[in-house]
Amino acid sequence: MSERGKVMSIKETRRGGAQQKLWAFASLIVLVAGFSLASPNFFQVSNIMAILQATSVNGVLAVGVTLIIITGGIDLSIGTLMTFCAVMTGVVLTWAGMPLLLGVLTSIATGALCGLISGTFVAKMKIPPFIATLGMMLMLKGLSLIVTGTKPIYFNDTPGFSEIAQGSLIGRIVPAFPVPNGVLILFIVSAAVAWILGRTVLGRYTFALGSNEEAVRLSGVNTDAWKMAIYALAGGICGIAGLLIASRLNSAQPALGLGYELEAIAAVVIGGTSLAGGRGTILGTLIGALIMSVLTNGLRVMSVAPEWQTVVTGAIIVAAVYADQLRRGRAG
Amino acid sequence: MSERGKVMSIKETRRGGAQQKLWAFASLIVLVAGFSLASPNFFQVSNIMAILQATSVNGVLAVGVTLIIITGGIDLSIGTLMTFCAVMTGVVLTWAGMPLLLGVLTSIATGALCGLISGTFVAKMKIPPFIATLGMMLMLKGLSLIVTGTKPIYFNDTPGFSEIAQGSLIGRIVPAFPVPNGVLILFIVSAAVAWILGRTVLGRYTFALGSNEEAVRLSGVNTDAWKMAIYALAGGICGIAGLLIASRLNSAQPALGLGYELEAIAAVVIGGTSLAGGRGTILGTLIGALIMSVLTNGLRVMSVAPEWQTVVTGAIIVAAVYADQLRRGRAG
Amino acid sequence: MSELVRMQSVDKRFPGVHALKAVDFDLRPGEVHALMGENGAGKSTLMKCLSGVYQPDGGRILIDGAEVALPTPKAAKDLGIGIIHQELALMRDLTVAQNIWIGREPRLSFGRIDEARQNADAAAIFQAMNVAMDPRAPVSGLTIARQQMVEIAKALSYRSRVLIMDEPTAALNDSEIAELFTIIRKLRAEGVGIIYISHKMDEIRQISDRVTVMRDGAYVGTVEAADTPISAIISMMVGRELSDEAVRIPDLSGAETALEVRALSRGRELKEISFSLKKGEILGFAGLMGAGRTELARAIFGAEPPERGEIRVHGKPVTIRTPSDAVRAGIGYLSEDRKHYGLALGMDVRANIALASLPRYADRLGRIDEPQLAGIARDYIARLSIRTPDDRQEVRLLSGGNQQKVVIAKWLLRDCDILIFDEPTRGIDVGAKAEIYRLLNDLAAAGKAIIVISSELPEVVRLSHRIAVMCEGRLTGILPGGASQEQIMALATAREGMTVE
Amino acid sequence: QDKMLVPLISKGFQHQFWQAVKAGADKAGAELGVTVTFEGPDNETQVDKQMDMLAAALANKPVAIGFAALDSQAAIPLLRQAQEAKIPVIAFDSGVDSDIPVALASTDNVAAAALAADKMAELIGDAGKVAVVAHDQTSRTGVDRRDGFVNRMKEAHSGIEVVAIEYGGGDHLKSTEITKALLAAHPDLKGIFGTNEGSAIGVVNGVRELGSKGITIVGYDSGKAQTDAIREGLMAGAITQNPVGIGYETVKAAVAAAKGEAVSANIDTGFYWYDKSNIDAPEIAAVLYE
Ligand SMILES: Nc1ncnc2c1ncn2[C@@H]1O[C@H](COP(=O)(O)OP(=O)(O)OP(=O)(O)O)[C@@H](O)[C@H]1O
Ligand SMILES: Nc1ncnc2c1ncn2[C@@H]1O[C@H](COP(=O)(O)OP(=O)(O)OP(=O)(O)O)[C@@H](O)[C@H]1O
Ligand SMILES: [Mg+2]
Ligand SMILES: [Mg+2]
């Protein structure tokens, strides 16, 4: 009987876990419902698509940085790295006139390489992640300006480039549901990273590093190498974000990117991932990113004055996380 | 003999600590020496004063946020809080025409109050500091614009207001050494906070919270109350920064402030304070802030192209912390 | 005799665990009341209820006959209840004295702390404990045993009427335990009621007046220590009799040498240490606290590489700069500090067991074979009787002893040829201890080379085929198995300048 | 049902300049009986943020839209969307590389900065070193004003050397520090041009803090601090655009276009040089804002 009691309550715990995500999701639903009631223009296919499209870049960045945050690190360079990847794509595609695929690979490779460098700073040179990636952020910001000569690079000569984010494969099949490719890519990246985190050795070490790096090292794991791999992977994902933003803007804007890191990290934390490392989910990050863009879009559609938008956004972010906290408190 | 051995090794540890600070200081010296060699215009009294003055606002912010970082938290709202404090000072002095002293008190009280609110979010509502202060940052940013109607408030009607940062008490006594009051205030604030950290119960709990909050709580300390006090103190210090910037600009600029948090936090981390909490020094923060402003000023005086300035700044920040790390590795 | 504490049918549930089932307990002034039970029996949980850390779900707590509420640790402290937690709860960045007086700092004007007095007061406590300790030393630099001393000093500083000690001696060696007992006796004479939790059965006899036994979260019974044989207490705990065997030393003359260490040195901690270890051998390491055994193990394992010296594995010299080098060479190391160096506390039991062996259970894509790991984890949970609702429970929610078993399982799964166990039975109950001894013997019989570092002399004697003794960073001698404790102590205190045969 | 909606997506909203544009837009909105909303990103690098704003504005089914493009091409797909939905677009402040906008209400920033260069040359006697404290390295206005000034110096004032160009993001304090560093690096500097309000005030501040004498400061835009500095003589003079006019004309053109009326494709709202001598002249006072 006592055994049965145990099994039952384990199931309950599991259910509790699922509920937790459901609850974060609930904040999102409440927001969507509220805005839909407040403005008839909010819950329209085209506006929902606009929200999803607005989530794509920040979402991909957030998914990438989730990996690093789970290791207990932080990456401030993601915004400018995204830009630098876009710039390098522009160099390859527009200036050198290479084929599209090569541009795509360049962006991802550039991201991975820069991520690897940050990872080396952190793992080998033992520079705190905050400083290592702050340095990286500044260097990449400057390099983007230097490479481009401070002028945007346009992708007018690469047919199909703007399709990467703006086309809609799904829309071609289901015309009523013209989900932009950017969003599709976000979901594919999320699914892939969620799979990596949940099922692979890399994912397991990501959590383990954040949980207790020294214990992992003393288990004979080459923690430095794994950490570098994780930073490189996150960098590669920033490369994908770089493609998305370049495709959306049909250009590589060299001055863009600063401030995007904060937004992405905010999405991650709203999604329940702890900055202390060791825990986090990609689903949470996605929900966090969606909460942010629903909020921004909804307040705009409601024509709230911009200064009040900022105030309300701040208040709702705090409230959403507090609601989550309350629920957790009740469960625990 | 073994006892003697032990005592000796304790002494060595102490010396190690002092050396550590000396080494961080060495990075600063190297920078100053380098720039002095590179440009005859760098090491001039007026330029040194300009560097010190440029350190004042960021330095005071950094000293404040050091407290919070030592507790293991973070405060993203310091930049916009500084602005909000300046705005409230403007409301009291220019709009309500109150005497100068009341304006000064308003600024500090506003800062302390907002810090207390952030502290409540963190301590009582268990909202992660990153989110709590991100929310605060957005709310304060919006509020500054709302209160002012997006227009700056000028302090032309308050004689002596610009003296707060720009005057020079020391210069009146030692004319060859016209240290601006802003710098004097920075040093006074630093000394006071260093004293609090090193000598008082509040300081002790600041370190203890960052070291092991649960253990502190189990020791019967009202951790929530102390944490709120620390956030309030840091907020009050932001109020001082608000006075300094308002005095320097002779106005409260409502749109300013975003981005200042990153710079201040960078100074703290360069100064050797760990974002994980539990350890940190005000002297280190001061040196960190000085490194940042020497770097910025020096590169400008050397007429390095602006985009290269960014790259070099990033690289030097990484290098400075790496040098520090190397030294630590050798010692430990 | 009046009662100091009475706990009546206290109940406590955690998600998935019914940790306390209507437990009764009482404490009189001036007695040492031992609380016994297997790992996960609920001892720490009961004490956390008494000290305001947990709120019981049911039952009453009476102090001096009056029912009390203990909503916070502070409320308990105010009622005179002090506790030494099983898991060290220290602020690592603070000094020893600062840790002891946290929350009660002697103050001067303006909220200033009287550091001098604080240090002097701390020094006085250590003096009374007969322990040499610098009150100004940062705690992060102390070994786990010395950290335990700080916890004890902190608890003593409260001058509580009720003092709970949750496995205070887990990390201590005999002489330190003796000092602690002197203190306990003094406190008992002053009328303090002491609740004493330990897995070291011999201590119960020495120090306690009454013994209460728990099993599976339930109260089993209370007996007088003086007229109950240990074996009876053990059978109350585990529900059966345990037989104690003496060490059987196998003939290893033909065995091949697995590990050879030559003139290993680092700074002041390790001085010219040489020894060798054969396949199938268990080499025990004895020594006083700070003798350098842990340092030696960490040096061999590459956690802090040595400055000089040579390590040979199976006759071939190997370079070990990092733990992953060591593991590749077939050396495993179970750390004495499970919390900081052994476990990813936020991860589940399964993941922790697999931590050192992951690549073996992954395909080329790096995909982990979870079903297989689940099977393995359940296997170890059963083999080591790890008390956990299932293999997905977070390790931090396990009782201390069960956490230790998880670390052991991790290294057993890694299957290294040479295994270094640093205090492997710390916090482990008698039943499980016997199980681990059997396991170590089986491993040795299967050809593994094993080093066991232990501060419990009987354990070293009971397990080791040979006994190495260290003092102040030097290997002062290697004794044959079955050597007497006196012989070991002689070597353990053989300080430099003295020559030892 | 409600009044007609005309959203303006600008390049910013926190700065004085944009607030003046908004004031003009609101004035036209009130006169013409339409609802005007006004929004812009935090800084002029956030091209994609501006597009999200544009998308949200389109969701509200406005009758016409005013748009100040941060990038001349990036928004074209969205503008096409507007075109398909028959929402006329009025460009203001900066145009786009497309014929979708039916009108452009703007200031010729290049010409305005060139005028600033001429005035600077005149004030320092057509010889010596000058520097530029610009607000942005990549945005249209930042680039136009910088290049307008620098190129004019090269073409028409060979005696003058532009020795440094630094970027302060329009942040008053950063611009202050930059100015002080510039003066340290070039002790013989004769003049500094600040390319927007924050930059210009920063320059004034830096010079004031250093106590340097004989530096000719030329600014851009207005605002109380700038007009005060001009009255005090700290600043020699400044270029002002007609932001109120830009906002007003944009909304007026938008409403006309929505009603199907013809609008002129180019609405030049003009710019002016003002200094101590003409600051109180009615035609100048009308375009200054505080
Ligand atoms: N916070 C918690 N959440 C869930 N389960 C818990 C929690 N704390 C303890 N438990 C469980 O309650 C049971 C009793 O644990 P407790 O720590 O009291 O054991 P113990 O008798 O002190 O064991 P040990 O001798 O190993 O220290 C264990 O099964 C443990 O896993
Ligand atoms: N009394 C002490 N004072 C200062 N440092 C000490 C003291 N005791 C131990 N240490 C530190 O610990 C080192 C050796 O401790 P180590 O942990 O290796 O010993 P051990 O034999 O494993 O003992 P135990 O683990 O039981 O404490 C010393 O070299 C020293 O750095
Ligand atoms: Mg226990
Ligand atoms: Mg040890």
Side-chain angles (χ1 to χ4, degrees), chain A residues 41 154 253 256 260 300-301, chain D residues 39 45 48 60 71 73:
Chain A
N41 297 325
Y154 293 96
Q253 298 284 345
L256 209 92
Y260 286 63
R300 280 180 192 148
V301 170
Chain D
E39 192 171 10
T45 67
D48 68 319
N60 273 339
D71 183 85
Q73 299 193 5

Side-chain angles (χ1 to χ4, degrees), chain B residues 2-3 9-10 14 195 198-201 204-205 207-208 211-212 215-221 277-279, chain C residues 53 73-74 77 89-94 98 102-103 105 107 111-113 115 118 132 134 136 154 158 495:
Chain B
S2 141
E3 267 305 316
S9 64
I10 292 162
R14 290 280 154 71
W195 180 82
R199 296 261 174 272
T200 71
V201 180
R204 179 61 37 80
Y205 292 157
F207 284 104
S211 205
N212 187 346
V216 183
R217 206 178 62 86
L218 289 179
S219 303
V221 176
R279 50 189 67 208
Chain C
V53 178
K74 189 162 186 345
K77 292 228 156 74
L90 295 171
M91 290 132 277
R92 290 168 68 84
D93 300 305
L94 267 50
Q98 290 168 354
I102 188 83
E105 294 79 2
R107 297 196 194 182
R112 274 179 308 151
I113 297 173
E115 297 282 353
Q118 182 169 289
D134 178 4
R136 290 163 301 174
K154 181 174 170 185
Y158 277 99
R495 309 177 57 176

Side-chain angles (χ1 to χ4, degrees), chain C residues 38-45 48 86-87 166-167 197 199 399-401 427:
Chain C
E38 286 179 288
N39 294 131
K43 307 177 294 290
S44 298
T45 306
K48 283 180 181 168
Q86 178 178 12
E87 301 301 331
D166 195 349
E167 302 196 28
I197 301 177
H199 290 294
S399 79

Side-chain angles (χ1 to χ4, degrees), chain C residues 143-145 289-290 292-295 333 336 422-423 426 453 455:
Chain C
T143 60
I144 192 125
M289 184 176 74
R293 297 161 300 166
T294 298
E295 299 288 331
Y333 168 64
E336 63 180 338
D422 198 351
E423 313 282 359
R426 166 169 303 162
I453 300 172
S455 298

Side-chain angles (χ1 to χ4, degrees), chain D residues 183 206-215 234:
Chain D
L183 289 171
V207 170
R208 183 190 289 136
E209 281 191 5
L210 271 185
S212 306
K213 295 277 179 284
I215 310 286
L234 267 164

